[in-house]
């Protein structure tokens, strides 16, 4: 059997890193002796998360363009030139059969150089609105794996394969763990549960909205799991001190997301692509609060793709402080609405995404 060598590049956020690691794990499962090298951006989250997952990583000095202060981009261009050189050297030394780009700063120089050096490249686009880097790289890519219909707006139709987004392996079994989950969080088996997640760093508006609604939550008969993210834990703890009877489990980070999902009847979440893929697979009723601080407002596009199919409810970031808790309490008490949302979001799930992407990688590497 051929020994494959693969480069995976991208990162910046969990939404890029977790799918990248899932692809690597699925490839390793099929080809245990494969060599996999990651290329990320120095100082970004992937430089810590990828080695923790057991893979080597090279960091490029690349950073994003500053749209507000064009003068600062002189430094950005210098870093880009250095990154292109380092990417070329890395590819020449490693000699991969294939290169994968998952979006994020580092994937630009790496995939551009791989294509220049004749290495077949595959892009994985997580969002319903394609990112700038992937749009630029699409011309030279051999295959583009996507998670949403209608991506011909951004990419050549003959290169597109609908695979869905790879998700974390432990979530596949989450639905069978409700009893264990309620015990883990110390929750009542007779009350409905709302899970609030804002990503690893947290989401300011979501946290402010929950804090503002604590008096309603305390008297609602509904229990909450509140993941604040590391930037907002102390504020949440201060707010909870005023409501000692609030049925709320609160922490900055949830290490067992499988159990958090298993316990939840309704989820409140940002509309990042990875989160949405997880919610589709698990068939979870969800209220999406798209982040306004992302490129091309792609989270709103992701959310609307579900809202159009009555597979999610959207509350805008601007309206969340006034509406979010009310909306959540209304939906979670309405069994018929919960079931409808759960049924509709389940129909959008793409199963075995990582394995399907590996199929595409193998056919490219062998061609």
């Amino acid at each position: 059997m051929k020994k494959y060598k693969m480069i995976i590049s991208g990162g910046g956020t969990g939404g890029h890193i977790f799918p990248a690691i899932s692809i690597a794990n699925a490839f390793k499962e099929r080809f245990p002796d494969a060599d996999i090298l990651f290329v990320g951006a120095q100082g970004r989250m992937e430089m810590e998360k990828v080695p923790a997952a057991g893979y080597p990583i090279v960091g490029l000095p690349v950073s994003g363009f500053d749209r507000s202060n064009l003068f600062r981009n002189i430094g950005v261009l210098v870093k880009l030139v250095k990154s292109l050189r380092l990417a070329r050297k890395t590819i020449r030394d490693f000699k991969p059969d294939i290169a994968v780009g998952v979006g994020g700063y580092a994937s630009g120089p790496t995939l551009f150089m791989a294509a220049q050096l004749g290495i077949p490249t595959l892009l994985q686009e997580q969002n319903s609105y394609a990112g700038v880097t992937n749009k630029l790289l699409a011309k030279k890519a051999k295959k583009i794996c996507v998670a949403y219909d209608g991506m011909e707006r951004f990419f050549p139709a003959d290169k597109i394969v609908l695979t869905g987004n790879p998700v974390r392996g432990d979530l596949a079994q989450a639905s069978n763990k409700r009893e264990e989950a309620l015990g883990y969080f110390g929750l009542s088996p007779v009350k409905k549960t709302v899970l609030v997640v804002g990503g690893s760093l947290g989401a300011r508006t979501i946290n402010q909205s929950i804090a503002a609604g604590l008096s309603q939550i305390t008297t609602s008969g509904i229990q909450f799991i509140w993941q604040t993210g590391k930037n907002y834990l102390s504020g949440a703890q201060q707010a909870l001190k005023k409501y000692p009877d609030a049925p709320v489990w609160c922490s900055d980070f949830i290490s067992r997301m499988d159990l958090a999902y298993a316990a939840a009847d309704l989820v409140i979440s940002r509309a990042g692509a990875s989160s949405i893929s997880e919610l589709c697979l698990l068939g979870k009723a969800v209220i999406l609060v798209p982040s306004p601080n992302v490129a091309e407002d792609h989270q709103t596009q992701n959310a609307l793709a579900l809202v159009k199919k009555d597979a999610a409810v959207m509350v805008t970031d601007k309206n969340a402080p006034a509406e979010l808790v009310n909306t959540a309490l209304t939906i979670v008490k309405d069994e018929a609405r919960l079931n409808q949302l759960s049924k509709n979001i389940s129909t959008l799930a793409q199963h075995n995404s990582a394995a399907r992407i590996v199929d595409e990688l193998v056919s490219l590497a062998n061609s």
Side-chain angles (χ1 to χ4, degrees), residues 258-285:
D258 56 330
L259 296 183
Y261 281 134
D265 297 285
L266 175 69
V267 180
I268 293 172
S269 172
R270 285 300 200 198
S274 290
S275 302
I276 288 179
S277 296
E278 292 172 358
L279 292 160
C280 291
L281 270 178
L282 296 167
K284 287 291 165 186

Side-chain angles (χ1 to χ4, degrees), residues 16-228:
H16 292 310
I17 298 161
F18 294 127
I21 292 171
S22 297
I23 293 168
N25 290 344
F27 202 89
K28 269 288 201 193
E29 211 169 283
R30 205 176 298 181
F31 305 105
D33 64 345
D35 265 348
I36 300 175
L37 176 67
F38 279 73
V39 179
Q42 285 169 10
R44 304 290 295 208
M45 195 173 165
E46 58 267 26
M47 301 308 291
E48 178 192 322
K49 297 283 183 202
V50 168
Y55 296 101
I57 186 166
V58 172
L60 304 181
V62 65
S63 62
F65 279 91
D66 189 328
R67 292 171 199 192
S68 57
N69 183 342
L70 295 177
F71 210 60
R72 282 195 194 136
N73 289 322
I74 296 167
V76 174
L77 287 170
V78 171
K79 286 180 181 174
L80 179 59
V81 172
K82 283 184 184 165
S83 297
L84 284 162
R85 279 195 202 129
L86 181 53
R88 169 178 283 187
K89 182 182 179 331
T90 302
I91 292 161
R92 284 203 160 138
D93 292 349
F94 185 69
K95 301 185 176 65
D97 300 295
I98 188 127
V100 183
V102 295
Y105 303 143
S107 67
T110 311
L111 274 278
F112 176 79
M113 275 302 166
Q116 291 283 86
L117 295 168
I119 310 295
T121 62
L122 177 144
L123 303 179
Q124 202 257 324
E125 175 54 66
Q126 293 105 23
N127 294 294
S128 63
Y129 193 94
V132 176
T133 307
N134 276 351
K135 282 193 279 196
L136 292 172
L137 294 169
K139 289 187 189 71
K140 301 277 194 213
K142 298 285 186 207
K143 281 274 187 266
I144 303 164
C145 293
V146 301
Y148 290 88
D149 290 322
M151 297 302 283
E152 306 77 34
R153 292 181 296 156
F154 307 107
F155 302 128
D158 59 338
K159 295 181 179 182
I160 293 173
V161 189
L162 182 66
T163 56
N165 288 323
V167 301
R168 291 172 275 190
D170 61 345
L171 296 180
Q173 315 307 321
S175 43
N176 315 324
K177 299 178 182 172
R178 187 169 172 84
E179 211 170 302
E180 184 190 345
L182 294 171
Y184 181 88
F185 292 103
L187 299 172
S188 160
V190 296
K191 288 182 179 174
K192 292 278 191 214
T193 305
V194 176
L195 167 65
V196 183
V197 281
S200 49
L201 299 175
R204 177 184 288 135
T205 309
I206 293 179
N207 286 317
Q208 286 173 343
S209 305
I210 300 300
L214 282 173
S215 69
Q216 278 167 282
I217 289 168
T218 304
T219 57
S220 67
I222 306 296
Q223 55 200 358
F224 277 64
I225 299 171
W226 183 10
Q227 183 250 319
T228 63

Side-chain angles (χ1 to χ4, degrees), residues 328-344:
L329 293 175
T330 304
I331 292 172
V332 81
K333 290 174 182 176
D334 182 343
E335 196 65 43
R337 185 71 180 122
L338 277 180
N339 288 337
Q340 191 62 51
L341 286 167
S342 170
K343 196 173 118 197
N344 291 348

